Amino acid sequence: MASVTYREEARALIAQVDDATANRLLQGALDLHVHSGPSTMPRQVDHFQAVEEAAAAGMRGILFKDHHYSVAPFIPLMDRVLGHHNVAMFSGLVLNNSTGGLNPFVVDAQLKQGAKLIWMPTAQSANHIRSSSRKQRLVSNVKLKPSPGLTVVDSYGEILDVVKEILDSIAEFDAILSSGHLHVWEIWKLFAEAKKRGVKRLLVNHPMYGLHFTYDDIKEMAEFGALIEQSACLYVDSRFNVFSPRELKEHILAAGVAHSSIGSDLGQVDNPTPVEGMRQAIKLCIALGFSEDDVRTMVRDNPATIVGLQVA
């Protein structure tokens, strides 16, 4: 019942902000969390449609994420067909078992094919498997082979040697390291090792959902140098809504606007499209009292910085 109440509360606040304001703030925005298709999971937009819709909204860039394959090698082909839209396209590799797991050879090859971001395990991480309830599991169109849970630490809590090798590759290519769906305890270990090995771009996705962050963890992780991304789908008029608008404000303020970003985390069927999700998130932030400059920082400037684009 709570999530329905939160959706109704979100709808009411979103309705207080006019489309013109949200559309203006979408200009130059980047969405670094787009779940378009094809995929093993039901998707309502494919990669081409995601680019076309982003272009129509005046957005600057999007980053494709799939839990079971990398879109990165296809970006040059997509750029040849869609480049006239002037939307920067990025992708990367999620280190689930379905993509090779914690395999430094696969990471090396993907980075050399243009991968911009390496996610630690998501749906096949040990933390995700332990934390998932029946209703929280990621639904696929096909039944995937059951996967053992992946972790980045050994039985003593030390970072695995193969993970260190992966971190070295990420540092070499100045790519982004995402915490994926690891437990916060693993993430602290991972990011400390990553920084020691020269990784400069650290990203945490939806820290309060499934990763077991506290508010202090968010604050300290932001101070450590990570960008803290909030997923719009968890707060807007979405079937994934599990947090109240008040909590969105608290989650952002825990990190501070200067260390926060917003990604849609959308593309699933029966949900807003990625662009509509970003539009709703912008409206919600304005209704919650964030300034237009705050919103631009979170949807335009901070995402541009972490992917290596010059801030407009």
Side-chain angles (χ1 to χ4, degrees):
M1 289 295 294
S3 65
V4 174
T5 303
Y6 294 160
R7 286 184 75 174
E8 291 173 348
E9 190 179 350
R11 286 181 195 135
L13 286 170
I14 288 165
Q16 294 178 12
V17 181
D18 61 277
D19 286 341
T21 297
N23 291 339
R24 183 174 66 254
L25 293 171
L26 268 175
Q27 302 299 306
L30 291 94
D31 183 357
L32 304 186
H33 207 144
V34 174
H35 285 297
S36 46
S39 175
T40 61
M41 301 174 188
R43 301 300 186 217
Q44 64 165 303
V45 292
D46 62 33
H47 304 321
F48 279 42
Q49 289 169 316
V51 172
E52 290 161 352
E53 292 185 8
M59 295 177 64
R60 186 182 184 187
I62 59 178
L63 192 149
F64 306 101
K65 178 183 182 182
D66 193 274
H67 296 285
H68 304 298
Y69 77 101
S70 170
V71 183
F74 304 102
I75 297 294
L77 297 176
M78 294 169 61
D79 194 51
R80 179 169 62 81
V81 177
L82 301 168
H84 63 284
H85 288 299
N86 295 316
V87 174
M89 292 173 278
F90 307 97
S91 188
L93 179 71
V94 182
L95 302 185
N96 286 324
N97 281 311
S98 51
T99 64
L102 301 172
N103 188 322
F105 300 98
V106 178
V107 172
D108 174 71
Q110 283 291 317
L111 289 169
K112 289 173 178 173
Q113 291 181 82
K116 190 67 180 176
L117 193 155
I118 302 296
W119 290 270
M120 286 294 119
T122 55
Q124 295 174 348
S125 72
N127 175 62
H128 182 100
I129 293 169
R130 284 194 305 265
S131 301
S132 293
S133 70
R134 177 176 58 84
K135 293 183 178 180
Q136 291 175 318
R137 289 194 183 115
L138 300 175
V139 179
S140 292
N141 289 327
V142 296
K143 184 173 176 58
L144 296 175
K145 186 180 178 67
S147 172
L150 292 165
T151 177
V152 296
V153 297
D154 63 20
S155 57
Y156 293 95
E158 300 301 323
I159 295 294
L160 298 169
D161 287 342
V162 291
V163 174
K164 293 177 182 178
E165 193 172 345
I166 288 168
L167 295 177
D168 288 341
S169 291
I170 294 171
E172 177 186 354
F173 285 86
D174 196 21
I176 304 165
L177 168 65
S178 165
S179 55
H181 294 184
L182 299 178
H183 189 278
V184 61
W185 178 80
E186 295 174 274
I187 296 168
W188 275 115
K189 292 267 188 175
L190 176 73
F191 278 12
E193 186 68 30
K195 183 175 278 194
K196 186 170 74 174
R197 303 182 93 84
V199 176
K200 296 180 175 63
R201 304 177 194 271
L202 304 173
L203 177 66
V204 177
N205 307 113
H206 51 71
M208 301 300 271
Y209 183 73
L211 277 57
H212 307 283
F213 272 65
T214 64
Y215 286 100
D216 284 343
D217 284 316
I218 294 179
K219 178 179 182 293
E220 292 166 17
M221 189 67 76
E223 291 171 349
F224 187 75
L227 181 65
I228 311 299
E229 181 193 83
Q230 303 298 338
S231 290
C233 69
L234 300 176
Y235 306 95
V236 302
D237 186 9
S238 154
R239 61 185 173 89
F240 292 158
N241 179 303
V242 294
F243 294 116
S244 67
R246 172 185 55 79
E247 288 171 302
L248 171 60
K249 186 169 187 176
E250 290 174 354
H251 295 169
I252 290 172
L253 292 178
V257 167
H259 305 285
S260 295
S261 69
I262 297 172
S264 72
D265 202 353
L266 287 166
Q268 311 85 1
V269 297
D270 302 324
N271 257 345
T273 63
V275 170
E276 176 56 25
M278 291 294 287
R279 184 180 288 112
Q280 288 189 25
I282 286 169
K283 288 184 175 185
L284 193 53
C285 285
I286 293 295
L288 288 168
F290 290 101
S291 70
E292 292 194 11
D293 282 344
D294 289 338
V295 173
R296 288 192 187 93
T297 296
M298 293 188 287
V299 304
R300 185 191 69 180
D301 299 348
N302 289 344
T305 298
I306 200 168
V307 296
L309 295 178
Q310 195 166 28
V311 175

